[in-house]
Amino acid sequence: MASCCPTMKLQCPFGLNRKVVSDSGRVSAFWGAEVVKANHHLNAQCGPQKIQTRLIRSVLTPFVDQESHEPLLRTPRADPKSVASIILGGGAGTRLFPLTSKRAKPAVPIGGCYRLIDIPMSNCINSGIRKIFILTQFNSFSLNRHLSRTYNFGNGVNFSDGFVEVLAATQTSGDAGKKWFQGTADAVRQFMWVFEDAKTKNVEHVLILSGDHLYRMDYMNLVQKHIESNADITVSCLPMDESRASDYGLLKIDESGQIVQFSEKPKGDDLKAMQVDTSVLGLPPKEAAELPYIASMGVYVFRKEVLLKLLRSSYPTSNDFGSEIIPLAVKEHNVQAFLFNDYWEDIGTIGSFFDANLALTEQPPKFQFYDPKTPFFTSPRFLPPTKVDKCRILDSIVSHGCFLRECSVQHSIVGIRSRVESGVELKDTMMMGADFYQTEAEIASLVAEGKVPIGVGENTKIRNCIIDKNAKIGKNVVIANADGVEEGDRPEDGFYIRSGITVVLKNATIRDGLVL
């Protein structure tokens, strides 16, 4: 009998879709694998063919005799109300210095008007997760201020019965309580008591997130996979090339998607040993050859009772998830992999931060903040529209409340409240903008006194540069790093050079006529 439904795809245990073809050449369709281990033999209407459903949760096929088909168990849909997320505020952020000299990593501006913390926060909101904790320790003032302005019950994003709680590192009684956070796992361990609170009594799963990644993700797909595979821990992962593999935790999986080996940032021979044939994930041979590793994204889901046991009793002295907890748990628990097959970037260094920002200006971009169904939220600043006067703007993003006069902006991002004067040329530049406006009278007064107002002065040429907030760049300045310096420290002149990129410091002043 002819099929009455379109060909569908198999949902692999770790995320990609595949078609399943029976021995007779007919295409059957399967939704979700690796959940219920049953051994039903189904009589097909077209003959005595038997289909074994040993690892299949549900079957959709026109060949099944419904009278002889015993109903298979169905895994319930994951409830966002049963999930709490913990966003890690990160350490000192030395690799992002000097952008982290006065702020925490998640507070670093990105994309013209957002901050890095807006990424996991918005992903949680769009996934329906409303119970959110943020762990902070270093330079957390601006991060706390942004969170209170943006994600609260009053004039920001309304959470109804949910909450956003900032858990700042603090000292408590006892010897252990006198220590600051010693790592990602230790930070969560020090606040385990929050899961004994009344408002988290219905939490069954804990989502651990980083505050310095750029991606769009529905976390409930990850949680659903976690539930369906009956996992104790699920690690979100993606294929990775060899040039960057040593920067991440790498893993190996078996045919069911269970992680059998996990190695945090391996080098040399240890790195080579973690190579796998990623064609098992559904990648074509050429792409699998280019991406021979499976890397952890630093996004984990734990069963709450498993997380409590691991941190309190099993490994009470282990301080980091990636290098200690996950590799140890792989040996004793069901740790599953979830393949995330979309854009993801770790904003951990000046180079990756710069490249990820400028990539937003490309057409079409690999990642974009514009999506009506899953918007990214940020602080409601109520700024006026940007004013552009006789400017040339190519492949760029100009944020709210800017003033651009007879300038050229190419392959650049211009952040909120930026002021760019006539004759200025910006190319391959990330300009973060300003925290406040200066009036025309204030600007005129500063110029009359020989001082430099916030913004970029007339006839200045800038390329391959990150300009932090409230920077004051004078007239006839050239920032080009023409000598190709890779690393340089000149804080007395208001800038550093990292990976060949000039970084103008927050609140710095670059005097008129200076050539960098």
Side-chain angles (χ1 to χ4, degrees):
M1 184 174 70
S3 175
C4 61
C5 66
T7 300
M8 303 188 73
K9 293 181 178 181
L10 168 67
Q11 182 69 34
C12 295
F14 25 86
L16 285 180
N17 291 324
R18 289 180 181 168
K19 294 180 181 177
V20 177
V21 184
S22 66
D23 292 338
S24 64
R26 308 290 296 276
V27 178
S28 298
F30 301 89
W31 283 353
E34 191 218 331
V35 178
V36 179
K37 294 185 177 180
N39 277 301
H40 300 288
H41 293 283
L42 308 178
N43 295 321
Q45 293 179 356
C46 56
Q49 176 189 2
K50 294 183 178 180
I51 302 176
Q52 188 178 29
T53 62
R54 178 172 163 271
L55 293 176
I56 305 303
R57 174 170 63 87
S58 58
V59 180
L60 179 63
T61 173
F63 319 130
V64 176
D65 182 352
Q66 297 297 332
E67 294 181 358
S68 64
H69 175 44
E70 186 177 319
L72 295 174
L73 298 178
R74 291 182 179 273
T75 303
R77 292 295 301 173
D79 183 2
K81 293 183 179 180
S82 70
V83 181
S85 67
I86 298 177
I87 301 175
L88 303 173
T94 54
R95 294 188 302 158
L96 264 180
F97 182 87
L99 300 180
T100 52
S101 62
K102 296 181 180 179
R103 59 167 77 91
K105 277 197 295 185
V108 173
I110 187 172
C113 64
Y114 301 94
R115 293 180 185 259
L116 283 172
I117 190 66
D118 293 327
I119 309 305
M121 287 295 299
S122 298
N123 282 333
C124 284
I125 295 168
N126 293 327
S127 301
I129 298 171
R130 297 293 192 270
K131 298 180 177 69
I132 305 172
F133 298 100
I134 301 101
L135 296 179
T136 65
Q137 178 164 296
F138 292 95
N139 286 333
S140 59
F141 172 72
S142 62
L143 175 61
N144 294 341
R145 181 177 58 189
H146 178 76
L147 289 168
S148 64
R149 289 176 176 177
T150 309
Y151 306 102
N152 57 42
F153 293 95
N155 54 10
V157 178
N158 196 314
F159 278 80
S160 61
D161 60 342
F163 58 83
V164 176
E165 296 283 357
V166 176
L167 305 177
T170 184
Q171 293 188 341
T172 58
S173 59
D175 292 338
K178 293 182 172 62
K179 298 179 181 179
W180 299 111
F181 296 156
Q182 302 300 303
T184 55
D186 183 64
V188 176
R189 180 187 292 114
Q190 291 194 32
F191 281 98
M192 277 288 89
W193 57 266
V194 301
F195 293 107
E196 299 168 351
D197 193 73
K199 61 185 178 182
T200 59
K201 64 180 180 179
N202 296 323
V203 171
E204 300 175 9
H205 310 283
V206 180
L207 180 66
I208 308 293
L209 306 171
S210 294
D212 56 354
H213 297 163
L214 180 61
Y215 62 112
R216 175 181 276 106
M217 183 177 185
D218 185 346
Y219 295 133
M220 292 313 297
N221 292 335
L222 170 62
V223 176
Q224 185 67 35
K225 164 63 171 61
H226 175 73
I227 294 172
E228 289 179 350
S229 58
N230 196 29
D232 297 316
I233 308 168
T234 301
V235 180
S236 188
C237 58
L238 72 170
M240 183 61 62
D241 60 84
E242 186 164 4
S243 64
R244 299 191 297 163
S246 61
D247 294 333
Y248 305 102
L250 303 180
L251 51 96
K252 290 183 177 181
I253 58 178
D254 63 16
E255 59 185 8
S256 70
Q258 183 168 344
I259 298 175
V260 296
Q261 186 177 352
F262 190 100
S263 179
E264 180 72 1
K265 299 180 180 179
K267 311 289 184 184
D269 293 338
D270 292 336
L271 175 63
K272 295 292 184 183
M274 293 305 295
Q275 280 192 356
V276 297
D277 180 9
T278 52
S279 63
V280 300
L281 305 179
L283 299 180
K286 182 179 179 181
E287 190 173 350
E290 296 172 351
L291 304 169
Y293 298 93
I294 304 176
S296 166
M297 295 167 54
V299 175
Y300 316 114
V301 180
F302 289 79
R303 291 187 184 276
K304 183 176 75 171
E305 63 273 15
V306 171
L307 179 63
L308 295 175
K309 179 182 177 182
L310 289 174
L311 295 180
R312 285 178 171 170
S313 58
S314 298
Y315 314 117
T317 60
S318 297
N319 294 326
D320 189 75
F321 282 115
S323 62
E324 298 176 277
I325 297 293
I326 301 298
L328 291 170
V330 163
K331 302 174 183 178
E332 301 177 359
H333 293 79
N334 179 12
V335 184
Q336 290 283 324
F338 175 85
L339 181 68
F340 179 69
N341 195 28
D342 206 339
Y343 179 90
W344 176 86
E345 187 63 54
D346 179 7
I347 311 293
T349 65
I350 290 294
S352 62
F353 173 81
F354 184 69
D355 293 340
N357 271 280
L358 293 191
L360 298 172
T361 68
E362 297 174 358
Q363 292 297 331
K366 296 178 181 178
F367 176 86
Q368 58 181 352
F369 286 96
Y370 313 105
D371 189 322
K373 293 183 179 179
T374 56
F376 282 91
F377 303 96
T378 192
S379 177
R381 301 179 179 91
F382 310 110
L383 293 173
T386 286
K387 185 174 182 181
V388 178
D389 181 16
K390 299 178 182 179
C391 298
R392 180 177 179 267
I393 302 175
L394 297 174
D395 301 327
S396 299
I397 294 174
V398 180
S399 197
H400 323 303
C402 300
F403 296 90
L404 280 69
R405 301 183 178 92
E406 301 181 29
C407 59
S408 172
V409 180
Q410 183 176 349
H411 195 226
S412 298
I413 291 181
V414 180
I416 57 173
R417 303 187 188 92
S418 291
R419 183 183 62 85
V420 183
E421 295 292 355
S422 61
V424 170
E425 295 180 7
L426 296 182
K427 185 176 181 181
D428 302 328
T429 293
M430 163 62 174
M431 185 174 181
M432 293 185 180
D435 290 318
F436 57 91
Y437 284 120
Q438 290 177 323
T439 65
E440 293 295 333
E442 289 173 331
I443 293 173
S445 176
L446 290 170
V447 172
E449 296 173 7
K451 297 180 180 179
V452 181
I454 293 175
V456 182
E458 295 177 356
N459 301 316
T460 288
K461 318 298 180 187
I462 301 174
R463 66 167 53 202
N464 206 41
C465 181
I466 298 173
I467 305 172
D468 208 336
K469 282 196 168 184
N470 308 327
K472 309 172 186 69
I473 300 177
K475 302 176 182 178
N476 303 307
V477 172
V478 177
I479 302 176
N481 190 13
D483 295 332
V485 177
E486 282 295 308
E487 304 291 327
D489 296 1
R490 288 176 60 180
E492 66 281 1
D493 291 323
F495 70 93
Y496 285 79
I497 298 177
R498 292 290 182 266
S499 301
I501 302 162
T502 305
V503 183
V504 178
L505 299 176
K506 184 176 181 180
N507 300 320
T509 299
I510 306 296
R511 64 182 185 275
D512 292 349
L514 185 65
V515 177
L516 306 183

